[in-house]
Amino acid sequence: MTGFIIIDKKTGVSSAREVNIIKKLTQTPCGHMGTLDPMASGVLPVAIGNAARLFDYFLDKRKIYEAQFVFGSDSNTLDTTGKISKSDGYVPSEDEIERVLPEFCGEIMQVPPKYSAKNVKGKRGYQLARAGIDFELPPKKVNIYSVKLKGRVSEDSFSFIIECGGGTYIRSVARDLGERLGTCAIMSSLKRIQSGVFTLENAVQSEKLTAENIEKHIIKTESVLPYESIKPSETEAKKLFNGLTVQSSLTDGIYKIFRTDGSFYGLAEVKHNILKVRTKLC
């Protein structure tokens, strides 16, 4: 089997657990296209078989989250799973929040949470933080396309819709938004509703999958790739599918390449009138 399954991950379970379920049901190596913390829920695309070779392609795709922030509270993890160090700070109004949201859009520098998987001299940030070791993480460039206030959830909590690029930490958005408003804020919930072409509407909870029904939930690899399709001649195919190159008049770029029988093979690249297979996916 090869392709993708969109899992609707529940809060409280790990991404690795979900991948292992798919791996056992398909009896095929699998991997996720961007992890979700146990606290988070929602869209978790799982690649089956050779589709996992597309990890780098999906890593930087746009993602959309629905998040809830609690204002006036602070914690060591920047969310409600950590040790709450303050819970009686200032809670801004909806108008105050709305006024500063444009400042958090665009290409910005963001400091990742210390409780994260960021590498610090061979150690994960969360390992050092749990050990009580003090350290600093350098800011990194991220893209945030929009931050919209959805509404007030409770006296001190608000819901947001955030569209961003890969590598953005929503917990850091909460921290920075709180600081900008002269208070503090932490994330209390997070749901990914879209990751690239994968949406919540087409997702399924892993508990509903069986060895008998899983195949109908698998999305074909070629259907999620936004490239033009090409089908080489038999002579060209013999060369291309054996690691050789052929001359091409196609425009430079990436293409979906199909076998002469019409079945999908993978990705090919044209560069300076030379066509070669880039990645075998099926």
Side-chain angles (χ1 to χ4, degrees):
M1 291 185 181
T2 186
F4 296 92
I5 288 183
I6 313 171
I7 295 298
D8 180 4
K9 190 183 89 64
K10 292 183 177 180
T11 300
V13 301
S14 70
S15 296
R17 169 191 177 271
E18 303 288 67
V19 171
N20 285 333
I21 290 174
I22 306 304
K23 187 182 298 183
K24 290 177 182 178
L25 290 173
T26 61
Q27 294 295 299
T28 306
C30 299
H32 57 67
M33 298 286 104
T35 188
L36 282 174
D37 290 338
M39 179 186 183
S41 63
V43 172
L44 179 70
V46 176
I48 303 168
N50 286 347
R53 296 176 179 177
L54 292 169
F55 178 80
D56 289 340
Y57 169 79
F58 288 105
L59 187 63
D60 293 326
K61 291 298 180 182
R62 292 193 183 201
K63 299 171 175 64
I64 302 177
Y65 296 91
E66 181 175 352
Q68 288 185 17
F69 298 162
V70 179
F71 286 85
S73 294
D74 199 5
S75 82
N76 58 342
T77 60
L78 304 185
D79 60 37
T80 51
T81 67
K83 182 180 179 181
I84 305 296
S85 57
K86 182 178 182 181
S87 59
D88 58 355
Y90 175 69
V91 177
S93 68
E94 291 180 70
D95 285 342
E96 288 176 306
I97 294 172
E98 290 272 20
R99 279 198 294 269
V100 302
L101 289 184
E103 299 176 21
F104 292 85
C105 299
E107 191 174 77
I108 65 172
M109 299 301 292
Q110 182 188 75
V111 177
K114 289 187 175 181
Y115 279 83
S116 67
K118 298 298 291 183
N119 191 292
V120 183
K121 296 181 179 179
K123 295 285 187 179
R124 298 295 187 183
Y126 62 80
Q127 293 175 322
L128 298 177
R130 288 170 182 168
I133 299 172
D134 189 34
F135 65 97
E136 297 296 327
L137 288 171
K140 57 172 291 187
K141 189 179 295 183
V142 298
N143 284 300
I144 300 180
Y145 304 104
S146 65
V147 183
K148 298 177 182 177
L149 177 62
K150 189 176 179 182
R152 185 186 288 269
V153 178
S154 64
E155 184 178 347
D156 59 358
S157 300
F158 298 83
S159 178
F160 298 84
I161 300 294
I162 301 171
E163 183 175 1
C164 59
T168 305
Y169 285 94
I170 305 301
R171 287 176 289 155
S172 291
V173 176
R175 175 200 62 205
D176 297 343
L177 181 58
E179 289 179 356
R180 174 63 181 82
L181 291 165
T183 183
C184 48
I186 56 178
M187 187 179 75
S188 57
S189 73
L190 182 67
K191 189 179 188 70
R192 187 157 65 192
I193 55 181
Q194 185 169 337
S195 179
V197 298
F198 304 111
T199 63
L200 196 59
E201 289 76 13
N202 298 317
V204 59
Q205 293 182 347
S206 58
E207 289 78 5
K208 296 180 180 179
L209 295 171
T210 65
E212 291 72 34
N213 71 14
I214 192 168
E215 194 165 355
K216 73 177 184 179
H217 293 284
I218 297 177
I219 300 169
K220 292 182 178 180
T221 309
E222 62 266 35
S223 68
V224 301
L225 296 170
Y227 303 120
E228 290 184 37
S229 300
I230 58 173
K231 187 169 72 172
S233 66
E234 289 189 15
T235 301
E236 292 173 328
K238 287 179 181 179
K239 293 181 179 180
L240 290 167
F241 300 147
N242 283 285
L244 302 177
T245 63
V246 300
Q247 289 288 322
S248 176
S249 59
L250 293 169
T251 303
D252 283 6
I254 305 298
Y255 294 84
K256 292 185 288 189
I257 187 167
F258 290 77
R259 297 181 180 89
T260 53
D261 64 3
S263 60
F264 181 59
Y265 184 86
L267 294 178
E269 181 178 20
V270 175
K271 193 172 183 179
H272 305 311
N273 300 118
I274 298 295
L275 171 64
K276 67 177 181 179
V277 171
R278 180 170 173 172
T279 308
K280 183 180 184 299
L281 296 173
C282 291

